[in-house]
Amino acid sequence: MISSDSENKACSANTGCACSTADPVPMTVAPAVDASDAAWVMFRIPTMDCAVEEGEIRRALEAVSGIKGLRFQLQARTVGIQAPPQVIEVALESIQKAGFAPVSLQASADASQPVPTLSSGWVRLLGALVLATGVEVLDIWSPQGLLWHGVGMVLAVVAIALAGFDTYQKGVMALRAGKLNINALMTVAVTGACLIGQWPEAAMVMALYAVAEWIEARSVDRARHAIQGLLDLSPKEATVRQADGQWAQLPSAEIGVGAIVRIRPGERVPLDGVVIEGNSAVNQAPVTGESIPVDKMAGDRVFAGTVNQSGELLFRTTALASDTTLAHIIEAVEHAQGNRAPTQRFVDRFAAIYTPAVFVIALAVAIVSPMLMNWGWMQGIYKGLVLLVIACPCALVISTPVTVVSALASAARRGILIKGGTYLEQARKLRVVAMDKTGTLTQGKPRLVEWSPLPADDHEARPWVAQMAASLAVRSDHPVSQAIAAGLETPMLEVQSFQALPGHGVQGHSNGQGYVLGNHRLIEARGQCSPYLESVLDAHQQAGRTVTVLASDEGVLGVFAVADTLKPEARDVVADLQGRGIQTVLLSGDNEQVVRLVAEQAGIKEARGHLLPQDKLTALRELRQAHGPVAMVGDGVNDAPALAQADMGIAMGAVGTDTAMEAADVVIMNDDLRRIPELIALSNRTHQVLWQNIVLALGIKLVFLILAVFGHATMWMAVFADMGASLLVVANGLRLLSGVPQRV
């Protein structure tokens, strides 16, 4: 059994396309693997231009025993094979038997081989189209005679050679292998037209087919390369501080971890890192989809591909160019493009039956119809050939990968990283969305939500109490103290003899007076509790808050309540999901009281607290049995088991978090809950477009099949119909690139 990193967009064994323009390249194998292990070896296949041809190569390799894994990158025309060296040799022979010429990327001579471009060959195709048109004109307007007929035949042969050499080459190989792909169908149809004297038809069919494939390939490339622009986001060079303190421009690929890099306003961040000096706003939209720039200062993380806007920053690199967050995103999206959606697999299975069935019908029309319909043999054969041309499944086969890739790219631009077409389609089937609390529904860090002096009506003391509390809190590295200092935003007082009291709080002196900032236990130990203070503390604790008390030697001065607050968008997102008929559930390891309070604030009706990781797995199974497919939304670290167990794991705030990238099926890069309803809306829209394309492709085929049987369609009309259907489904699929729908 072959395992694959990316179950790629392979089309059926009985389909194919002829969009290649490159000549076969001689095979060279580099000894790049350890003889004792199955290592990855990469090969370029210059003539692998579309998903159909990729499918033929995949099926050829799946028949080879000993292959451990396959990686297809269609836009780069490469395939990775994980296998021992002896198996690699067999695999390459299988690829060659399928009609393709693999080139080892490890061989220096082959590494320089140019990848064929879509622009190459357009002059040749234009020439073929002009000659085919000339043959049609000669057939209609030229005087009858052997000379003019001979001239037309010569021009037709030249046109067919210019436009259809690759098609013929692949068609013959397919027929020898017993495959009825589109190359085989076109080869039979054009050859048959020539044999019955329909030279103008043969030339025009081959020229139109080649032009249609070229146009189709250009259209499809927009979807293939929709995510490719991410590769250009990271600058190729960076300004790096040298050992002598000087600055030098170095290639980003050569910069190691720990280097000091400088970025000026307007420059892109070349590598992931942590800011060590400077303040600036950074536009993180290319990575996280956030529309508002994020302020950065010392200690904050920056990511490759983001744009520095307002000030100069110095940062220390934390990853190599090949290991940045952006590199992981690109790799994930490339692999996702190869994970076929259920609709895509259905289309492949359907095409496997459809193409040979139409071939049999065409053969029956050519042989039986002259006897049943009183047609001439030439007329019957011609109608059969028209049916062969109409049978081209390109529009049907190409409709799904273009749509899926467009949707994946559109989602990635919004900070939604979907790991395959399966999850893209599955999102619309969700019936329950279970969420973790901390970092998912809430901000994930404590904030000062309320404070007051004691007594609460002592307004004159309020400014000084805030200053004293902030002056003590700012000197502590405890998250609660930091939240108090950040929330008060007041001028600081001078503090002497500052000291941390582990497990209790901090203390210090100001103007000769001693002060403490600590928890309930500290105040009790100092004998400063009172019934009034106990009631204040109890009220805050009932609300799920952590309370810190400021006191002097003379008594309690103020109370400060800190809590992990709900995200601003949480309530609207929960209401949106419930409006779609999706139940929301809160699953958390926090205490039951706090969990129920947060659920009430968010509008979630069902909440479960005190859950260990294994308890969350049990809860997910129960929810699935009761309601249907379940998504788990978590931070990707503590919730990794639940993310893996759910029908769909959605990791929140996963920028730079490898665990989240690995555990989840969908990664929300910017920690924005609103992306979850957008994901479901995109899933619904993608499903609609997929079936629109299937109906379009089959509907147009059906109309022309009927026209062909009753003698109202010609071969070149059939090619036009196929070309039109292909362009329609491609254009319809590309509509998904316009953006992620807010609601569908």
Side-chain angles (χ1 to χ4, degrees):
M1 176 68 71
I2 296 176
S3 63
S4 174
D5 282 5
S6 57
E7 186 196 12
N8 223 305
K9 302 183 293 293
C11 301
S12 77
N14 299 304
T15 60
C17 74
C19 43
S20 169
T21 57
D23 294 330
V25 182
M27 179 62 232
T28 305
V29 180
V33 298
D34 186 343
S36 61
D37 295 317
W40 284 100
V41 185
M42 297 297 297
F43 297 94
R44 180 190 298 142
I45 303 180
T47 54
M48 185 178 70
D49 297 303
C50 65
V52 178
E53 292 172 339
E54 177 193 306
E56 293 182 3
I57 296 169
R58 175 180 292 278
R59 283 182 292 277
L61 292 175
E62 286 175 344
V64 178
S65 61
I67 294 180
K68 304 299 182 183
L70 297 173
R71 287 178 182 168
F72 283 85
Q73 296 298 336
L74 184 57
Q75 62 268 31
R77 296 180 173 88
T78 62
V79 58
I81 305 174
Q82 185 185 27
Q86 63 273 21
V87 177
I88 293 289
E89 296 289 347
V90 178
L92 295 177
E93 291 177 5
S94 297
I95 295 175
Q96 290 170 331
K97 288 179 181 177
F100 300 90
V103 181
S104 173
L105 291 183
Q106 280 76 23
S108 58
D110 294 327
S112 62
Q113 285 287 345
V115 176
T117 62
L118 288 172
S119 59
S120 64
W122 71 268
V123 175
R124 174 172 55 82
L125 297 181
L126 181 61
L129 188 59
V130 169
L131 288 174
T133 304
V135 176
E136 290 280 1
V137 171
L138 278 176
D139 185 63
I140 297 171
W141 298 104
S142 66
Q144 295 297 320
L146 185 61
L147 175 62
W148 289 107
H149 185 67
V151 170
M153 288 178 58
V154 171
L155 292 178
V157 170
V158 175
I160 293 171
L162 286 174
F165 178 78
D166 294 326
T167 301
Y168 258 99
Q169 189 179 42
K170 293 179 181 179
V172 170
M173 289 182 179
L175 290 171
R176 286 178 178 174
K179 297 178 181 177
L180 292 178
N181 59 25
I182 182 55
N183 299 301
L185 297 183
M186 290 302 300
T187 299
V188 171
V190 173
T191 303
C194 292
L195 291 176
I196 64 174
Q198 294 290 337
W199 291 95
E201 289 279 292
M204 185 59 73
V205 164
M206 188 59 81
L208 286 175
Y209 174 73
V211 171
E213 289 293 299
W214 184 81
I215 294 173
E216 180 186 285
R218 287 185 66 87
S219 301
V220 174
D221 252 16
R222 185 182 171 195
R224 284 186 195 161
H225 298 150
I227 203 66
Q228 197 71 12
L230 287 173
L231 292 171
D232 300 325
L233 292 179
S234 297
K236 304 302 181 186
E237 293 186 335
T239 306
V240 183
R241 188 162 67 190
Q242 305 299 295
D244 59 2
Q246 299 297 312
W247 296 91
Q249 288 288 116
L250 297 178
S252 299
E254 298 178 6
I255 299 173
V257 175
I260 305 301
V261 177
R262 180 180 67 194
I263 45 173
R264 294 189 172 95
E267 294 181 343
R268 288 190 180 273
V269 179
L271 299 162
D272 287 2
V274 176
V275 176
I276 60 173
E277 184 179 322
N279 294 275
S280 183
V282 175
N283 181 2
Q284 298 190 156
V287 174
T288 67
E290 292 168 289
S291 58
I292 300 175
V294 180
D295 291 330
K296 300 289 184 179
M297 59 186 68
D300 291 336
R301 297 190 65 182
V302 290
F303 305 100
T306 58
V307 183
N308 182 30
Q309 293 196 324
S310 55
E312 184 174 280
L313 291 176
L314 301 186
F315 71 90
R316 179 176 287 105
T317 60
T318 57
L320 301 175
S322 60
D323 198 36
T324 64
T325 300
L326 183 62
H328 288 309
I329 292 174
I330 295 169
E331 181 182 9
V333 174
E334 286 176 343
H335 287 177
Q337 292 177 6
N339 190 328
R340 294 186 298 164
T343 304
Q344 195 168 343
R345 292 193 290 269
F346 161 77
V347 167
D348 290 348
R349 291 193 298 267
F350 178 83
I353 300 170
Y354 163 83
T355 307
V358 176
F359 189 90
V360 171
I361 293 172
L363 191 62
V365 168
I367 297 174
V368 179
S369 65
M371 295 182 287
L372 297 180
M373 306 293 291
N374 199 26
W375 292 341
W377 283 103
M378 289 300 182
Q379 186 181 8
I381 292 173
Y382 180 78
K383 290 182 183 296
L385 294 175
V386 172
L387 283 175
L388 285 185
V389 176
I390 293 173
C392 171
C394 278
L396 178 64
V397 169
I398 207 170
S399 62
T400 45
V402 169
T403 302
V404 169
V405 172
S406 297
L408 292 173
S410 179
R413 291 174 179 175
R414 292 281 291 166
I416 307 171
L417 192 58
I418 307 171
K419 293 189 177 180
T422 298
Y423 310 115
L424 176 65
E425 284 206 53
Q426 189 175 6
R428 70 183 183 84
K429 301 177 183 178
L430 294 174
R431 291 296 171 264
V432 181
V433 173
M435 302 183 188
D436 180 42
K437 180 181 74 69
T438 305
T440 300
L441 273 178
T442 65
Q443 301 281 1
K445 55 184 179 181
R447 295 192 179 192
L448 181 65
V449 294
E450 187 179 331
W451 78 274
S452 64
L454 286 183
D457 57 358
D458 189 355
H459 300 297
E460 291 184 4
R462 187 177 178 88
W464 182 86
V465 170
Q467 283 184 292
M468 191 66 249
S471 301
L472 288 171
V474 77
R475 288 169 168 79
S476 171
D477 59 0
H478 193 281
V480 172
S481 296
Q482 291 297 309
I484 293 172
L488 290 173
E489 295 183 347
T490 182
M492 303 296 169
L493 300 174
E494 186 176 350
V495 175
Q496 299 88 27
S497 305
F498 177 83
Q499 183 181 359
L501 305 173
H504 291 86
V506 296
Q507 68 180 12
H509 287 77
S510 180
N511 294 325
Q513 176 72 38
Y515 300 93
V516 296
L517 183 68
N519 56 26
H520 190 187
R521 291 193 303 273
L522 176 62
I523 302 303
E524 280 186 329
R526 290 167 60 91
Q528 293 179 308
C529 277
S530 66
Y532 175 69
L533 177 62
E534 293 286 354
S535 67
V536 171
L537 296 179
D538 185 63
H540 283 302
Q541 289 167 354
Q542 289 293 327
R545 299 167 178 172
T546 300
V547 187
T548 303
V549 181
L550 175 68
S552 67
D553 294 337
E554 298 176 356
V556 174
L557 302 174
V559 174
F560 302 83
V562 171
D564 183 8
T565 57
L566 200 68
K567 289 182 178 178
E569 72 274 13
R571 190 169 184 85
D572 289 340
V573 168
V574 169
D576 190 331
L577 292 172
Q578 292 174 348
R580 298 173 189 271
I582 298 173
Q583 182 178 349
T584 53
V585 180
L586 179 56
L587 304 179
S588 175
D590 209 338
N591 73 73
E592 194 80 30
Q593 182 177 332
V594 173
V595 171
R596 293 192 180 280
L597 179 65
V598 171
E600 182 180 347
Q601 293 172 347
I604 296 176
K605 297 178 181 178
E606 182 178 350
R608 306 185 190 184
H610 287 301
L611 297 181
L612 297 174
Q614 58 267 32
D615 298 327
K616 288 187 179 182
L617 299 183
T618 301
L620 290 175
R621 285 193 290 268
E622 292 173 354
L623 290 169
R624 183 186 297 114
Q625 291 173 359
H627 304 286
V630 180
M632 177 66 199
V633 186
D635 61 14
V637 179
N638 298 328
D639 297 304
L643 291 173
Q645 171 73 28
D647 296 289
M648 179 179 293
I650 303 176
M652 296 294 297
V655 174
T657 306
D658 291 339
T659 305
M661 290 276 193
E662 294 169 3
D665 306 313
V666 176
V667 179
I668 308 296
M669 301 302 297
N670 62 359
D671 199 21
D672 191 340
L673 281 170
R674 290 171 294 187
R675 299 297 183 257
I676 298 173
E678 288 181 8
L679 167 65
I680 295 169
L682 178 63
S683 177
N684 281 314
R685 187 180 175 194
T686 302
H687 182 74
Q688 292 171 4
V689 172
L690 283 171
W691 284 101
Q692 287 169 5
N693 283 346
I694 291 171
V695 172
L696 269 174
L698 292 179
I700 292 174
K701 296 291 183 187
L702 179 60
V703 169
F704 272 83
L705 279 171
I706 295 172
L707 290 175
V709 170
F710 290 98
H712 299 293
T714 62
M715 290 181 68
W716 64 267
M717 287 172 61
V719 174
F720 262 126
D722 179 67
M723 176 173 63
S726 296
L727 295 181
L728 275 176
V729 298
V730 167
N732 195 37
L734 291 177
R735 288 193 302 120
L736 292 173
L737 286 174
S738 61
V740 176
Q742 299 301 310
R743 185 172 183 89
V744 172

